[in-house]
Amino acid sequence: KAGVTQTPRYLIKTRGQQVTLSCSPISGHRSVSWYQQTPGQGLQFLFEYFSETQRNKGNFPGRFSGRQFSNSRSEMNVSTLELGDSALYLCASSLGLARETQYFGPGTRLLVL
Amino acid sequence: AQSVTQLGSHVSVSEGALVLLRCNYSSSVPPYLFWYVQYPNQGLQLLLKYTSAATLVKGINGFEAEFKKSETSFHLTKPSAHMSDAAEYFCAVNDNFNKFYFGSGTKLNVKP
């Protein structure tokens, strides 16, 4: 099976812009979770989507949003970018049942100038 | 509430030496515990997973972890470190609602 894919892999934006990141889960997986990883804060959970519905949410401002499509692909959007949004954004997919393993994609490296 | 504590943000061992990475968890329900490894500029890769079937869990690349309920620990070990083991390691707990809680990570350095 193909693994989790994320596009783009690298992105450079300027403050105030918005960005959309994409994640394609492993075939058959219905849950997609998003994480932000920075050197200072480590791995922080953004949100999880299951069957097109947001099921879990972390403590991020409303500028961070996401959605999931019927084929389980997910997008994450960040509006009004700030310098502090520079990070590695990781997507993980799973079957979505309780306590299932999450499988991670390679991440999207976002740099905000 | 669930939480994970990894003691030591950086661990350095010599090639061939024992690797011990510490993880303590807090969970209000019987935990499912995971260890992931991250190589530079890559995503997280599953090393092993504890699901209550056995307290000693063997993973990939010669790693194993032992679940100790009395100590609320799930330490990761490898008898003999290899240069290729240099990476960052994350311990995580999964609750009943498919939400993962990750530790802050431990960077392993392997000296020749």
Side-chain angles (χ1 to χ4, degrees):
Chain A
K1 275 187 180 178
V4 179
T5 58
Q6 292 186 245
T7 56
R9 291 294 312 277
Y10 302 93
L11 208 48
I12 300 176
K13 293 286 187 179
T14 56
R15 279 181 300 173
Q17 287 187 309
Q18 75 164 17
V19 67
T20 298
L21 312 182
S22 180
C23 172
S24 292
I26 292 171
S27 177
H29 284 190
R30 296 166 64 191
S31 168
V32 173
S33 296
W34 288 90
Y35 295 85
Q36 182 195 67
Q37 187 178 27
T38 59
Q41 300 295 321
L43 267 170
Q44 293 188 284
F45 173 73
L46 281 154
F47 31 66
E48 182 219 3
Y49 285 86
F50 178 77
S51 293
E52 301 179 65
T53 300
Q54 188 180 87
R55 184 164 67 173
N56 284 306
K57 189 177 187 307
N59 297 321
F60 276 79
R63 299 186 298 107
F64 292 82
S65 63
R67 59 177 175 169
Q68 186 179 34
F69 303 94
S70 58
N71 62 358
S72 293
R73 189 177 70 85
S74 176
E75 288 182 347
M76 190 192 91
N77 184 275
V78 187
S79 62
T80 319
L81 283 166
E82 301 177 359
L83 295 180
D85 297 333
S86 294
L88 180 67
Y89 290 89
L90 293 165
C91 157
S93 79
S94 76
L95 291 171
L97 304 175
R99 305 180 174 197
E100 284 290 335
T101 301
Q102 287 190 347
Y103 296 90
F104 283 79
T108 294
R109 174 78 62 185
L110 172 64
L111 177 62
V112 182
L113 301 176
Chain B
Q2 278 64 237
S3 68
V4 175
T5 302
Q6 291 184 240
L7 292 176
S9 58
H10 291 81
V11 170
S12 186
V13 301
S14 297
E15 193 173 19
L18 171 72
V19 175
L20 171 60
L21 305 182
R22 299 177 187 275
C23 172
N24 288 87
Y25 69 91
S26 170
S27 177
S28 55
V29 297
Y32 272 39
L33 296 157
F34 303 77
W35 275 101
Y36 286 86
V37 60
Q38 185 180 33
Y39 298 99
N41 297 314
Q42 293 187 27
L44 277 66
Q45 178 184 357
L46 179 70
L47 270 179
L48 50 83
K49 171 183 178 181
Y50 168 75
T51 61
S52 77
T55 56
L56 184 62
V57 183
K58 293 188 184 301
I60 62 171
N61 301 338
F63 284 93
E64 62 182 35
E66 186 173 9
F67 173 70
K68 292 187 176 180
K69 184 177 179 181
S70 61
E71 299 177 8
T72 60
S73 68
F74 190 56
H75 302 331
L76 182 71
T77 59
K78 182 175 180 177
S80 177
H82 191 272
M83 296 297 291
S84 60
D85 295 327
E88 189 161 18
Y89 293 79
F90 292 90
C91 181
V93 62
N94 187 353
D95 68 9
N96 282 336
F97 302 99
N98 201 42
K99 191 172 179 182
F100 270 69
Y101 299 82
F102 283 88
S104 54
T106 297
K107 288 187 177 176
L108 176 66
N109 177 47
V110 182
K111 299 174 290 185

